[in-house]
Amino acid sequence: MNLAKNYALNYNPIDIIETIFSGKSYEFERRSENEVVVEIEGKWNNMLLFFNWEQTMHCLHLSCLMNIQTQIEDRSKVFELMALANEDLWLGHFSYWAEQNMPVFKHSLIIDDTDEFSIESKIAQVIEIAVKECERMYPAFNVVLTKGLSPQYALNPLSMAVAGQA
C-alpha cells in the first residue's frame, strides 16, 4: 500500500483553515505555505492550534497546545495521565511537547478529493474534537503538572455523572 499516493488536489487545506478562522475573527499567523498557527480562547486558558500540511502524503496534521506552565520536575505522572486519557480517545492522542514543556493534543487527517464529505467539514470536525478534548482534560493536566497530584485523583471528577448545570 502506497500511503504517498499522489492525489489530484488543486488546493492547500491551510487555505481552508484560514477561511474557517477568518470567519470567527480569530488571530492566526500563516508561517509558510503549508503551516498556520491559530490562537483561540479556551474555557480555562488560551490554546494554540498548529496546522501543517504534508503535501506528498496529503496529510494535514493538527497540534493543539494547552497553555499550562509546568511547576514539577518529575514528568512520570503526566505520562501516566496521557496514557490513561488516550485509552478513551477514538481520534487523536495526547502527547507532551518537551520543547514547550506542555501537553498537546495531536491528530492527522489524510485528505483526498474522493472524500464523501466536504474537506472543510472534516477539518472543522477535527478542530472541534481537539478543542473539546483539550477543554475536557485541561483541569486534570493542570493539577498534575502544577501540583504533582496523581493522575487517578486528577481524573476522578471526569468520571462522575453530572446532573443539571450550575
Side-chain angles (χ1 to χ4, degrees):
M1 176 190 298
N2 183 4
L3 290 178
K5 181 178 177 183
N6 197 7
Y7 293 102
L9 291 178
N10 298 323
Y11 58 87
N12 184 333
I14 299 296
D15 298 331
I16 295 171
I17 292 163
E18 282 188 329
T19 302
I20 289 170
F21 285 104
S22 291
K24 297 180 180 187
S25 302
Y26 285 109
E27 288 188 35
F28 59 87
E29 176 186 357
R30 182 88 178 239
R31 293 188 170 173
S32 71
E33 179 182 349
N34 295 323
E35 181 181 2
V36 68
V37 178
V38 182
E39 183 173 0
I40 65 167
E41 185 178 332
K43 180 178 178 181
W44 308 103
N45 205 338
N46 286 359
M47 292 180 273
L48 289 177
L49 285 87
F50 296 86
F51 297 90
N52 291 292
W53 172 239
E54 190 352 275
Q55 193 167 6
T56 316
M57 290 182 61
H58 294 273
C59 186
L60 179 66
H61 181 78
L62 161 67
S63 296
C64 185
L65 183 66
M66 291 185 273
N67 189 9
I68 303 173
Q69 297 300 319
T70 302
Q71 304 296 323
I72 59 171
E73 294 295 322
D74 180 14
R75 302 285 187 265
S76 62
K77 289 181 182 177
V78 75
F79 293 120
E80 182 181 348
L81 176 60
M82 283 187 301
L84 293 170
N86 287 337
E87 286 179 358
D88 294 330
L89 293 177
W90 281 68
L91 293 171
H93 67 278
F94 285 100
S95 185
Y96 192 76
W97 195 348
E99 182 180 319
Q100 298 294 326
N101 290 320
M102 292 180 191
V104 62
F105 179 86
K106 295 181 173 188
H107 183 67
S108 295
L109 184 64
I110 294 177
I111 297 174
D112 65 40
D113 59 358
T114 62
D115 287 332
E116 190 175 311
F117 300 103
S118 77
I119 302 303
E120 184 172 347
S121 175
K122 282 188 173 188
I123 293 171
Q125 287 173 339
V126 168
I127 293 168
E128 183 179 346
I129 289 167
V131 170
K132 280 184 178 179
E133 287 301 327
C134 287
E135 291 288 347
R136 182 178 72 86
M137 290 300 299
Y138 185 95
F141 277 108
N142 190 46
V143 296
V144 169
L145 286 168
T146 62
K147 308 283 188 231
L149 296 180
S150 78
Q152 292 80 9
Y153 182 81
L155 288 173
N156 275 341
L158 296 177
S159 63
M160 293 181 196
V162 178
Q165 186 175 353

